[in-house]
């Protein structure tokens, strides 16, 4: 962006810590009157160096590290990391553990979408709408906590399986929680359909067309809100998603409203997936019998090779490119997060919009700065 | 479009530039491309073979071979095949043409690869550091020439 401003223009620095986006990043916006002329995203305020750290950790030690790339998607990150290692070693997780992974990853998607929705509502000024989804999300976190022992960063997946089985009473608690979630989402949905101020601020604002979204490399709900039914769970399936019945949630308008509705629809769809998985889950061991490493030892040598494994994160396509040189630590790990292209797409998306809409548009993309900075 | 057809099409279009093709599975294929032809290859992949989605772009420092491999993972919205396309660059002067004119989102990936590995992308619209502070530029943090490499054991950690 050209930072020279004309006599009737102004340069506004939003951030590094701004309500428009959770996490520190800076959005430099050049405005003429109220209209955005140009903008630029600045990253690096929380650069964590996770790819570099992974090169000095054994594979097992890497699991808690990848959790922290984006704590809202800790379980998807683990799936991408653990799945990559499994592909390199040639381990097939047992069917029971695959189902358990699907269950916890979908629960993780629900809590992420609830938080994303809550934060977004607060950006628009609906502070009470922040509180309600957060209260519901708490119940979902309780489910994750009783399974993994942690609310946010779980370190739950293991090469070939999962750390622990589902706890006693999980199914009953799940049923109770889902009733609560459905009731809550229905209530807010009504508000989203009827509140005039909400409609004015979201319908037709920040429109992405399918072609533009594809060109910008956007994935996840922002892409599906333009009508493109691209979902890794269907297009490049992993775990037991092939055995489960679910649809890819799409909208066609491509505006803020559509992005939020895609997430709402995905909350319902994830609950449906979890219910099916609980019905279908087979009994059996959590780990394969002939595991090529000792589960109690954190050291595991991984054969030389490389792999690219991707999963559907709450925010889109999360992929790990991993190169192994045959030692017990990865030679190189590249994390392909969904947020990078989403944040990169902000400047073209907000160009020509009103300054007041920047906050709403940025919020509706549900980008996680922490994951972009990794 | 299946993996075999994609490889056949690519090799017949660029017989000189494409090498070491491999079909790892029906959804994962890989190939090396000549660094000088990278933009043409990417353009062909996008226009003719429906590879419209640059999933990631990065590099790997192969210090023992004295080369840096630039690695592109290119997927599609229309078929499930992901192509791992690589280009070999000399470690002392890694230079390659930017693919931003073909894949718009390569912009940040290339800036990142530049600041972490020192790969020079010619004709990049804005080649500067993305996440590191200015004073760290030139350190190339993900290159392997640091003291203590290679570490073959984790004994010091467990």
């Amino acid at each position: 962006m050209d930072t020279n401003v004309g006599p009737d223009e102004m340069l506004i620095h939003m951030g590094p810590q701004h309500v428009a986006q959770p996490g520190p990043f800076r959005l430099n916006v050049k405005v003429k009157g109220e209209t955005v002329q140009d903008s630029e995203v600045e990253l690096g305020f929380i650069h964590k160096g996770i790819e570099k750290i992974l090169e000095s950790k054994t594979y097992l030690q890497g699991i808690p590290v990848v959790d922290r790339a984006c704590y809202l998607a800790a379980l998807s990150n683990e799936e991408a990391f653990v799945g990559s290692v499994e592909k390199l070693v040639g381990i097939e997780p047992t069917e029971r553990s695959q189902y358990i992974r699907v269950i916890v990853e979908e629960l993780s998607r629900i809590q992420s979408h609830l938080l994303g929705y809550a934060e977004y509502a607060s950006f628009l000024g609906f502070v009470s709408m922040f509180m309600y989804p957060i209260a519901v999300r708490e119940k979902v976190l309780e489910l994750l906590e009783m399974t993994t022992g942690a609310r946010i960063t779980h370190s739950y997946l293991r090469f070939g399986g999962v750390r622990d089985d589902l706890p006693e009473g999980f199914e009953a608690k799940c049923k109770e929680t889902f009733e609560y979630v459905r009731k809550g989402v229905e209530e807010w949905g009504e508000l989203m359909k009827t509140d005039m101020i909400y409609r004015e601020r979201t319908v037709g604002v920040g429109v992405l067309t399918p072609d533009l979204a594809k060109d910008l490399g956007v994935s996840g709900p922002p892409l599906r809100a333009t009508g493109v039914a691209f979902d890794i769970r269907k297009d490049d399936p992993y775990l037991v998603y092939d055995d489960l019945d679910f649809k890819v949630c799409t909208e066609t308008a491509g505006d803020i409203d559509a992005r939020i509705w895609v997430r709402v629809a995905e909350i319902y769809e994830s609950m449906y997936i979890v219910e099916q998985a609980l019905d279908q889950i087979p009994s059996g061991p959590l780990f394969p019998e002939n595991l090529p490493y000792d589960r109690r030892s954190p050291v595991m040598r991984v054969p030389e090779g490389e792999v690219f494994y991707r999963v559907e994160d709450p925010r889109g396509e999360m992929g790990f490119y991993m190169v192994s040189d045959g030692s017990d630590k990865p030679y190189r790990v590249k994390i392909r997060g969904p947020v990078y292209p989403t944040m990169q797409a902000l400047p073209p998306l907000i160009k020509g919009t009103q300054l007041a809409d920047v906050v709403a548009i940025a919020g509706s993309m549900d980008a996680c700065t922490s994951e972009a900075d990794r | 479009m299946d993996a075999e057809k994609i490889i056949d099409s690519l090799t017949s279009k660029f017989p000189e530039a494409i090498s070491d093709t491999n079909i790892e599975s029906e959804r994962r294929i890989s190939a090396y491309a000549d660094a000088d032809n990278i933009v043409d290859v990417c353009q062909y992949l996008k226009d003719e073979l429906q590879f419209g989605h640059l999933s990631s772009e990065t590099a790997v420092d192969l210090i023992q071979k004295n080369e840096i491999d630039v690695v592109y993972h290119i997927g599609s919205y229309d078929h499930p095949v992901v192509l791992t396309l690589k280009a070999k660059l000399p470690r002392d002067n890694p230079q390659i043409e930017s693919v931003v004119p073909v894949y718009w989102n390569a912009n940040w990936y290339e800036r990142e690869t530049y600041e972490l590995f020192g790969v020079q992308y010619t004709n990049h619209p804005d080649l500067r550091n993305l996440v590191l502070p200015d004073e760290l530029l030139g350190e190339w943090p993900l290159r392997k020439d640091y003291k203590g490499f290679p570490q073959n054991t984790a004994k010091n950690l467990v």
Side-chain angles (χ1 to χ4, degrees), chain B residues 34-47:
Chain B
D34 202 31
D36 296 337
N37 296 74
I38 196 72
V39 177
D40 293 339
V41 171
C42 286
Q43 193 72 57
Y44 181 73
L45 283 166
K46 188 180 181 184
D47 295 343

Side-chain angles (χ1 to χ4, degrees), chain A residues 32-103:
Chain A
K32 191 173 191 174
E34 289 277 324
T35 311
V36 177
Q37 301 292 308
D38 205 356
S39 62
E40 181 189 45
V41 178
E42 269 187 48
L43 292 178
F45 294 95
I46 42 171
H47 184 53
K48 288 174 279 192
I50 284 183
E51 290 175 11
K52 178 76 180 172
I53 291 172
L54 287 174
E55 288 176 11
S56 64
K57 300 279 177 207
T58 65
Y59 288 93
L60 189 71
Q61 288 168 334
I63 296 174
V65 178
V66 296
D67 261 2
R68 280 144 183 88
C70 171
Y71 68 78
L72 288 175
L75 285 159
S76 317
N77 298 345
E78 280 183 31
E79 176 58 44
F81 179 76
V82 169
S84 308
V85 178
E86 284 167 350
K87 294 261 181 266
L88 280 170
V89 183
I91 307 173
E92 171 85 15
T94 58
E95 214 181 339
R96 182 168 178 84
S97 62
Q98 290 195 38
Y99 271 98
I100 295 176
R101 284 187 188 184
V102 167
I103 292 168

Side-chain angles (χ1 to χ4, degrees), chain A residues 236 317 331-332 336 374, chain B residues 27 53 55 58 61 112:
Chain A
D236 194 2
E317 179 188 351
Y331 184 81
R332 165 89 178 104
R336 184 266 182 240
R374 312 181 293 281
Chain B
R27 289 190 264 150
H53 174 53
S55 200
T58 186
D61 182 16
E112 188 190 72

